[in-house]
Structures are given as structure tokens and as C-alpha cells.
Amino acid sequence: MTDTTQDPIYKTDALIAEDIDAYLQVHQHKTMLRFITCGSVDDGKSTLIGRLLYDSKMIFEDQLATLEADSKKMGTQGEGIDFALLVDGLAAEREQGITIDVAYRFFATEKRKFIVADTPGHEQYTRNMVTGASTADLAVILIDARKGVLTQTRRHSYLVKQLGIRHVVLAVNKMDLVGYDQKVFDQIVADYTTFADSIGIDAFTAIPISGFKGDNITGPSENTPWYTGTALLPHLETVEVDNTLKQQGPFRMPVQWVNRPNLDFRGFAGLIAGGTVKPGDEVRVLPSGKTSKIARIVAMEGDRDQAVAGESVTLTLEDEIDCSRGQVIVAAKSPLEVADQFESTIVWMDEQPLVPGRAYWLKIGAQTVSATVQAPKYEVNVNTQEQIASKTLDLNAIGVANITTDREIPFAAYAESHDLGGFILIDKMSNQTVAAGMIHFALRRAQNVHWQATDIGRDHHADMKHQKPAVLWLTGLSGSGKSTIANIVEKKLARMNRHTFLLDGDNVRHGLNKDLGFTEADRIENIRRVGEVAKLMTDAGLIVITAFISPFRSERDMVRGMMQPGEFMEIFVDTPLEVAEERDVKGLYAKARSGALKNFTGIDSPYEAPDAAELRIDTTEMTPEEAADLIIARLIP
């Protein structure tokens, strides 16, 4: 008979019964392993997780109570939690779409606590796998022994490598369905090794398992006498989770919020991303570069003598220097790089493709900035590692592209710091996360080009002209009357001795933008260039009048963001499509309707009307002269 007193579960239960305080003390100081299970559809992720929960016997109380109640209903009292019931419950969740996102399971053994991210295997949900893997220490990549290495296996493995997960377990599952054949296992491991070498995964642990039967999950299986390695759970219990590298590196802490409960206390709170900090240490705040020293380290339990990577604390400084959310406090002698242009790997996670040149929100650490992505340098074929030419990135595509932010930000290469080198992109209109990215390095031009200060500034230019700079941005369909109204506005302002310049959509395409077509990406670049020109003209003190279809809200907002507050006036020349078509002075609508003219706004390319324009002009109710007078009255009250 087996001696159950030597069973770790028995020892744990005995400790709970004898000394609950001692048990809680032991449990509190267990190390934590965060890992992800990933692979293709039906590789057995839910079954494996169910087996880990069932065999560890240490699932959290809410899961335990529910499952035990269901067991009693099914007449299994006295038998504990039924494994099939547990797996059925996890499978039911997936069928209901609960784990189409990422489901996190919590369990523990005598040696360690675990958080496992259960992510869907469907290709269209690769983005969810990225979410789960972003905080993982280890990846369990499942392979169905009957199917071998699949495209989704390669995609997930490539992402695991890109995301910097150091520990990889290749779990060849469903060995019971291939008769526990060692040749099948060895061939899969050989195939995977070839692929792993090609993407830079230097080492992984391969384990033949059956999640359903329990083979090699918690201990050696009699069905695989040819396998002499460690079972899965003991491996998870003993794999090193090494935070010492983070702690030994230079100090870095992104500021998540400024804590000021009273006038006598001003602290900067955040999660330490790297290094160690002590009171008296000299630090630098980036990107401003201001220096000070640490006065106090405040935590939940009170003041601390030291804090290390992975801990959340509040720091106070000896000097009253400017520091706010999104800035980074670093060791003064080991500052981060600061730049506004980067090369990055991007994992596109939205059903709408990347639009090069469009402005997205980029969130890195605790900071959010506006950023544009250039056309990809290349897209990666996850099967062959081939670099494919691509003008955009579609759902689940992985590519390399340059990114430009609207201001300099402190950063580290992702290989050095996941916290300071990883980012997400957010669509400005929908607020949906559309991509995850990893910074490689700052571009040389970002480091070598510096702003040259001049003695004569924009205020002096404006004072010389006795006017306030402004941008009058007329937007609307082709044929709406934008150019006509803009021309009248400029003539009226000229009579008032105002210094102006008119930028017309057709005119700039004869010179500045003659290389651009009418694709969505080219239209965005067209507006970006015009915005930059308009910005320079306002610096010169001019009133700039523009007449551009500018069909996309995000690009009009991008130009608004280039200007000084209050200098941008969006004027919606609101003319119904049928009225614009009736006018059709250039014959463009007729060409578009016949199919001779592609990507024409209002026909086969959308126009996004302004949500909150400063002025709306209804050309069916007022003449161009009246519209011009209304604009000038708004500009010069």
C-alpha cells in the first residue's frame, strides 16, 4: 500500500490542520511562476489546465466550492472533485466564448504559486495570446501528437521568442492516442528543434504527456518508460524565475501617478522596472533631465530602507523638481535613452489593417503619446522566417517598421527591459488596442538631429504683422465649395491688411505632393505634409487658409495637434453628396461612378464628417460670400 503520509498534499493538509499560521507564512513566501499555455486549436489546453488544477488539489476557494457542489449533484460525494467535471467546465467556458479573451487560473502546490494564462488557439485570436504572454515567465507550447508542428505552433513560438520569454516547454500532448510511441515523440521534437533553431530559441524542455490520462503531469508515467526527464508539474515547480538581473541593473521607475495627500507630502508612485533604490541615491527625471536625490521610500507598511525591481513604492525627492505621470525616474549616472523615432517589431491585432502615416496613441510604461507608423520595412513569414515586402499589416501579421512619436520619450530596447521597451498602439477614433510592439533601437537621425534655437520666434513674427496666427481648415466633399469660399476669405482678409496664405488641395499636388496618389495611405501623407507646412506658416505669423477634402477625422485631429492651442479652426463645408454631384464642375463624380476613377471620396472612399467642428457652413442655405463673412466674423470678433 502506498504511504500517503509522504504525499505533499497530505503534508500540506496536515500543516493546515496543526498550525494554520505556519501554513499561511509558508504560503506567503512561495515564489510565483506566471506561465502561458498556447498552441493550435484542440491541442488540449483546457484539458491540461484542468489536470494541473485537479492534480494539484489547490485550486482557489471559489472554484473549489463550485466544483464540489456540482460533484454532489452528480452523486460523487466523498470522491472529491471529478476531473471530467472540471475539464467539462473549462470546455464549456470556451464554447461560451469566455476564454476567447484571456482566462487566468490561479493554483498552488507545496513549493510554488502559479498563474496560468489560458489563451485561445484560433489564428484570429493571436492578439489574445500576445496579451497573455506579455507577462509570462514561461510558455507551455502544446502540440497534438497526431498532428505535429503546425503553422500556429510556429506563430506562437515566434511570438514567445519576440516577447522575450526565456523558458519554453514543448508539451507533446495526446500521447495516449498514438500508443505512447517514442518515434512519434522524437520526430516531433526533431521537427520543432529545426524550427526553434531558425528563430533563435536556443533551448526548450520537451515532455510527452497526456492531459486527459495524466501521463507525465505530476510524476513519471509507466506508459512512457523511454522518457527519463522530469514531469511537467515538477518542472514548473523548479524552473528558475530569476529577477536578479532586473535587480542588478540600473534603477528605473516609470511614474504612474503623483501622490500628494497634503501640502507637506509630494510622492511619485510606480512599479520599479529595474534596479535597486535607497534613500540618498542621486536620480534623474526623464525626459526633462532634472536631477535630485531620494528622500524617502514609502510603502504600505511604512518607510523602507531599500526597494527593488518588481515592487510598487512611492518615492519622495529632496528637491521640488517637475515630475509627472509618464515620466521616468532613473539612476542619475545611468540614464535611459530619449528619442522620438524608433525601429520596432509590431504585432498587428486589429481586423482593420495598419494605415501607414495615420496617428495612433502609443502607450509605453505609464506614458501615452501620439505616434505614426511608417510603411513596414517587411513582414515576417512565421513558417519560413522570410522577410516579405508589404505596404501594410493585416490581422495577426508580424512586421518591422519605423515609428515616430510627437515628442521625445525615455525608453530601453525591449531586449533589455520589457517594461520600458514594450508598447501598445490604440486607435484614436475607436479607442481599441490595434497592435503590440517591441522597440529595437532609436533611429540615428533621431539622435543626430537637434532643434536649433533662434532669436526671432513666432511671437515676434506675429507682432510684426499685428495679427494672431491661425489655421482656417476647410473640409468637405469634392464640389462642396471649399476652394471658392477659401478664395473669398483670403481676398476679404487682404483688404483688411491681414497677412495670409492659401493652401489648396489641387495646387499642392502640383509640387509639394506631386508624388502622392489617392490611396488611404497617400491621402494621410498628403494631409501630414500640408499640416507641417501650415505649422511653419503660423510660426511665421501668417493666417493660413486651407481647402482640402481631408476625409479622415484622425488626420484632421493630427493637424490640430500640431498647432498652438486655439489656432486651429475646423470649418465643415457641409454639402450633401447629391448636391456636390450636381455641380461636378470637374467631371470627377461622373468618372468615379463609371469606375474610371478609383478611391474617390463619397463614392468608393469614405468621408468622415467632423464631430465638433468650430464652424459648419451649409452651402444649400448660404452663398459663398455669406460663408466667407461668417468665417471672418468668427476669426476676428
Side-chain angles (χ1 to χ4, degrees):
M1 180 178 294
T2 304
D3 182 7
T4 58
T5 62
Q6 300 305 310
D7 191 322
I9 301 299
Y10 177 89
K11 292 181 179 180
T12 299
D13 290 343
L15 182 58
I16 293 173
E18 294 172 5
D19 190 342
I20 186 63
D21 290 333
Y23 164 74
L24 292 174
Q25 182 70 11
V26 170
H27 188 71
Q28 181 180 357
H29 290 89
K30 290 177 183 176
T31 58
M32 170 76 77
L33 177 72
R34 301 178 68 107
F35 70 98
I36 181 175
T37 58
C38 52
S40 192
V41 180
D42 296 329
D43 278 346
K45 290 179 290 297
S46 292
T47 303
L48 174 60
I49 292 172
R51 176 61 68 180
L52 289 170
L53 296 177
Y54 178 76
D55 286 353
S56 71
K57 300 291 195 303
M58 305 250 331
I59 41 185
F60 269 32
E61 291 181 1
D62 57 343
Q63 295 170 307
L64 184 65
T66 301
L67 290 167
E68 285 185 339
D70 289 343
S71 295
K72 291 178 181 179
K73 290 179 183 178
M74 297 179 67
T76 58
Q77 297 96 320
E79 298 179 13
I81 301 168
D82 183 80
F83 172 65
L85 179 64
L86 174 58
V87 173
D88 287 346
L90 296 175
E93 281 190 9
R94 188 171 296 286
E95 289 171 4
Q96 295 168 28
I98 295 173
T99 55
I100 289 303
D101 200 351
V102 181
Y104 293 94
R105 310 288 175 186
F106 306 84
F107 69 101
T109 66
E110 183 186 18
K111 296 181 179 179
R112 176 171 275 175
K113 294 180 287 188
F114 300 92
I115 300 177
V116 53
D118 179 14
T119 60
H122 306 75
E123 181 178 349
Q124 63 266 41
Y125 299 117
T126 298
R127 58 193 177 209
N128 305 99
M129 178 268 173
V130 173
T131 301
S134 63
T135 57
D137 304 304
L138 178 146
V140 178
I141 299 175
L142 277 86
I143 291 181
D144 187 327
R146 301 168 301 173
K147 300 176 182 177
V149 178
L150 303 175
T151 295
Q152 194 69 336
T153 311
R154 297 186 181 96
R155 178 178 285 107
H156 284 176
S157 299
Y158 183 83
L159 289 170
V160 161
K161 172 61 179 176
Q162 292 296 312
L163 290 165
I165 298 177
R166 296 174 52 228
H167 303 287
V168 176
V169 173
L170 184 71
V172 182
N173 195 21
K174 303 186 181 181
M175 287 297 298
D176 54 308
L177 299 183
V178 295
Y180 300 100
D181 190 339
Q182 181 180 1
K183 291 182 180 179
V184 172
F185 174 76
D186 289 344
Q187 184 60 55
I188 290 173
V189 173
D191 293 343
Y192 187 80
T193 299
T194 300
F195 174 73
D197 289 342
S198 73
I199 62 173
I201 294 180
D202 301 322
F204 61 90
T205 301
I207 305 175
I209 68 169
S210 170
F212 181 68
K213 298 287 187 179
D215 296 287
N216 293 320
I217 302 297
T218 59
S221 169
E222 295 178 354
N223 294 314
T224 56
W226 42 267
Y227 175 70
T228 58
T230 307
L232 178 59
L233 189 56
H235 178 74
L236 297 178
E237 287 180 321
T238 56
V239 68
E240 292 186 11
V241 182
D242 189 7
N243 288 321
T244 58
L245 291 177
K246 275 189 174 184
Q247 296 175 8
Q248 291 172 357
F251 171 68
R252 281 95 171 78
M253 190 190 83
V255 177
Q256 294 176 323
W257 71 89
V258 179
N259 187 1
R260 192 154 198 172
N262 55 64
L263 294 177
D264 297 324
F265 184 90
R266 184 169 181 256
F268 308 100
L271 175 70
I272 300 177
T276 301
V277 65
K278 300 176 182 178
D281 286 353
E282 188 174 1
V283 294
R284 187 183 303 273
V285 176
L286 297 177
S288 71
K290 300 292 184 180
T291 60
S292 184
K293 289 184 178 180
I294 300 295
R296 295 171 58 192
I297 302 174
V298 183
M300 290 289 292
E301 68 275 14
D303 280 19
R304 301 268 297 275
D305 295 329
Q306 176 179 289
V308 299
E311 295 182 329
S312 294
V313 295
T314 297
L315 305 178
T316 67
L317 304 179
E318 291 185 356
D319 305 291
E320 283 284 339
I321 63 174
D322 181 40
C323 183
S324 58
R325 174 179 169 81
Q327 297 186 326
V328 184
I329 303 176
V330 302
K333 295 182 179 179
S334 300
L336 290 167
E337 285 188 80
V338 176
D340 59 4
Q341 296 182 62
F342 317 92
E343 182 189 88
S344 305
T345 291
I346 296 174
V347 182
W348 195 255
M349 306 192 303
D350 193 52
E351 294 181 356
Q352 297 299 318
L354 163 72
V355 181
R358 172 158 290 172
Y360 298 93
W361 292 121
L362 182 147
K363 188 175 187 302
I364 180 169
Q367 187 172 15
T368 300
V369 297
S370 184
T372 56
V373 184
Q374 296 182 16
K377 294 182 176 180
Y378 57 85
E379 182 180 334
V380 178
N381 182 320
V382 295
N383 288 308
T384 65
Q385 305 310 299
E386 180 185 4
Q387 296 179 357
I388 306 168
S390 179
K391 294 182 178 181
T392 185
L393 294 175
D394 294 313
L395 177 64
N396 295 326
I398 304 167
V400 172
N402 292 341
I403 292 181
T404 301
T405 57
D406 65 347
R407 72 199 77 167
E408 291 189 324
I409 58 174
F411 77 99
Y414 186 82
E416 299 174 9
S417 173
H418 294 185
D419 299 298
L420 296 168
F423 62 86
I424 60 172
L425 294 175
I426 302 169
D427 185 273
K428 287 189 172 184
M429 295 295 108
S430 67
N431 285 324
Q432 296 293 315
T433 298
V434 295
M438 294 141 276
I439 293 176
H440 298 170
F441 50 78
L443 302 182
R444 284 190 62 187
R445 60 176 176 264
Q447 298 170 321
N448 296 341
V449 179
H450 304 279
W451 189 265
Q452 178 63 48
T454 58
D455 292 331
I456 304 298
R458 67 188 333 268
D459 290 341
H460 183 81
H461 291 144
D463 290 343
M464 289 176 64
K465 297 174 178 62
H466 305 289
Q467 64 184 29
K468 180 182 177 182
V471 175
L472 307 179
W473 192 275
L474 280 70
T475 175
L477 294 171
S478 177
S480 61
K482 300 181 301 300
S483 296
T484 301
I485 295 170
N487 189 53
I488 296 173
V489 168
E490 186 172 40
K491 288 194 296 183
K492 289 178 177 286
L493 288 173
R495 296 190 194 108
M496 300 168 66
N497 294 319
R498 304 290 177 171
H499 298 261
T500 64
F501 197 91
L502 173 59
L503 292 169
D504 182 79
D506 283 348
N507 291 351
V508 297
R509 284 184 176 273
H510 285 283
L512 176 67
N513 293 341
K514 68 186 302 181
D515 60 318
L516 299 177
F518 291 90
T519 64
E520 187 171 359
D522 282 352
R523 286 172 175 235
I524 292 169
E525 176 60 14
N526 180 53
I527 297 305
R528 188 197 67 80
R529 292 183 192 179
V530 170
E532 293 288 358
V533 170
K535 178 183 177 182
L536 291 174
M537 289 184 169
T538 58
D539 286 344
L542 297 176
I543 296 172
V544 185
I545 308 158
T546 75
F548 290 84
I549 295 174
S550 48
F552 305 120
R553 295 188 194 100
S554 57
E555 279 59 67
R556 297 194 298 266
D557 287 344
M558 173 183 67
V559 177
R560 182 189 295 273
M562 296 177 183
M563 307 305 164
Q564 297 293 318
E567 287 187 358
F568 184 88
M569 184 191 300
E570 186 176 28
I571 302 165
F572 178 28
V573 184
D574 188 2
T575 301
L577 176 62
E578 57 272 17
V579 175
E581 281 200 76
E582 287 176 5
R583 295 172 181 172
D584 201 14
V585 293
K586 301 175 184 177
L588 299 179
Y589 282 100
K591 289 183 179 180
R593 291 292 186 188
S594 69
L597 187 61
K598 299 295 184 183
N599 301 315
F600 191 75
T601 303
I603 305 301
D604 58 352
S605 185
Y607 177 79
E608 299 172 354
D611 288 326
E614 278 78 7
L615 200 58
R616 174 180 172 271
I617 303 294
D618 185 345
T619 59
T620 65
E621 296 182 355
M622 65 177 67
T623 65
E625 286 278 347
E626 292 171 333
D629 289 338
L630 184 62
I631 292 170
I632 292 174
R634 182 67 179 267
L635 175 68
I636 307 173

